[in-house]
Amino acid sequence: MESVADLVAAEDVLLFVNAAVAATGQDEFHTGKARQEWSVDFLHEYMLVNYRDLYAAALALGINDRNKARIVLRLLATGADATPAQRRTEGRLIRRVLRELPVNRVYRLFTALAKAKVNNRRTRAVMREWLTSRPDLGFEAVKYRGAFKRAALHAHLDLDGLPGDAGAELASFLFAPMATGRYRAPLFETWRRAHFDRSAVFELPYTVAEGFAAARGIPRQVFLEQIAPNLTRNERLRLQRSGGAAVALDAAALGRMPLTRLAAYVLAIPPEEREERREELTGALRASARRAAGDRAGTWGKVTAVLDDSYSSSGSNEKRRRPLVVALGAHFLLDALAGEYRPLWLSGNEDALLAAPRGVTALGDRILDALETAPDTLVVVSDGWDNAPVGLAAEVLRVWTTRLDPERRTAIVHLNPVFDADGIGVRRLAPSVPTAGVRDAEDLPELVAFARFDDGRVGIEELRAAVDARVERWLEEEPWAA
């Protein structure tokens, strides 16, 4: 039997993982970013000091990119406190996660390491290895010029020793870009010409060209029409509402988008336009959900979802509609995963495509409705602020799990997309119901599986075994991880 200390340790780890999934350092509907920063910093420091190996292992547990970067920074800054075995494992995890993080996030991390004066040998080696492994150094030197320059200096990178034309000219491009004359590397030369040749602007990466276009007074629509061939898929998606026909994505391209990003795009469209484009948008959401479900499609049996579209799902100015975005993505993914699926929106809405934040958070009544359908799995996607009446959901779930279904024939999981700074975690519905933080709807299957540890009955050793197994699988996914 697990000791109380073991159970508390497991709860500590799960609290951190859930927070690191949901907390983004942005304002939420109920709490501001300042309180969130304090709470998250506390959790990072607490985990680093008390559970260093599990803190590092969190890199493999689906936490968000912001918290992955914070973990890497803290591990590199405190390497002297780790044992040799811990440093070896941390090195593998750090190298793996740097390959996975978005490039701009890695450069921000390197800038933060430089500002924090984290300049030990391991840090420099990690930075040099990542930089020299990049497939197109010239492109990144142009797109992230300031951050690239700081990283190269901090890592003591031998720029002259790098291969190719870009490598041979990197030092002059970074430190004396206009004093060199013509460049052999085509992108460097295009960047140089863009200072006096308008046509060269449209041959640059979008984020670089945008600054040149503004400086040269090129009209926005003209710029977008001519830069369109250079846009990445994500840049096209961000520009859908402002870019017009020049950057439009067809239905097939929308269906290839990540599910949560696509859901955010759909909810940003006015309801009238969503109605007009119903077939296109619904088809794209279903295609993206099927791709996220993969070989798990149709394997979940009978599933009922309680989906929070109350007023608080409108989020904040920084995270507009984010809770509703996650709920919409979860709706389509659960439809793909289930053999039989029943969605129950809090507002009573029966048209997912026209979902909108409205009304109070009456979770208790909706959970009762869901349990009456006798599902194999009940998934609740909500910020957990049950207020109509307060506490009804907790009482319904207490009675259900202790008296009506003590054998847990119905698996109940609460997924919460909102970090509660005051509670230093994600808000729970009931002690007996597992709760997991969620950032992206496509992570739902893994989160539901991991949430089984959050029922107050699993101790630290069982949790360690599960985490260790996940870490090894994650590291083996790429041959270079070893």
Side-chain angles (χ1 to χ4, degrees), residues 351-363:
D351 188 345
L353 193 68
L354 299 182
R358 60 171 78 89
V360 296
T361 311
L363 283 167

Side-chain angles (χ1 to χ4, degrees), residues 282-301:
T282 302
L285 285 162
R286 286 176 176 159
S288 182
R290 283 194 299 270
R291 193 177 65 255
D295 58 10
R296 296 166 294 200
T299 64
W300 276 31

Side-chain angles (χ1 to χ4, degrees), residues 76 95 110 113 118-131 151-157:
L76 290 174
R95 286 169 174 81
F110 289 172
L113 286 166
V118 179
N119 198 25
N120 53 64
R121 185 172 61 181
R122 182 169 71 154
T123 298
R124 294 196 301 271
V126 165
M127 292 174 68
R128 283 196 301 268
E129 180 181 320
W130 187 86
L131 288 166
L153 286 171
H154 194 69
H156 301 176
L157 184 64

Side-chain angles (χ1 to χ4, degrees), residues 20-21 23-24 44 59 62-72 97 100-106 108-109 261 439-440 443:
V21 169
T24 60
H44 275 272
L59 292 170
I63 66 175
N64 66 49
D65 291 343
R66 187 172 190 272
N67 284 300
K68 286 178 182 176
R70 294 174 83 155
I71 289 174
V72 172
V97 81
E100 184 180 83
L101 284 173
V103 175
N104 62 325
R105 178 74 69 179
V106 177
R108 284 204 294 271
L109 168 63
R261 289 191 178 184
R439 167 68 176 164
D440 295 316
D443 295 331

Side-chain angles (χ1 to χ4, degrees), residues 301-305 307 330-332 334-336 338-344:
K302 187 177 182 181
V303 177
T304 299
L307 304 165
H331 162 74
F332 280 94
L334 288 168
D335 190 24
E340 180 183 342
Y341 175 61
R342 174 86 181 271
L344 297 173

Side-chain angles (χ1 to χ4, degrees), residues 198-199 201-202 209 212-224 226:
R198 173 177 164 136
S199 65
V201 171
F202 305 107
F212 278 102
R216 300 179 71 87
I218 299 174
R220 180 69 175 172
Q221 199 56 40
V222 172
F223 169 67
L224 289 175
Q226 297 195 45

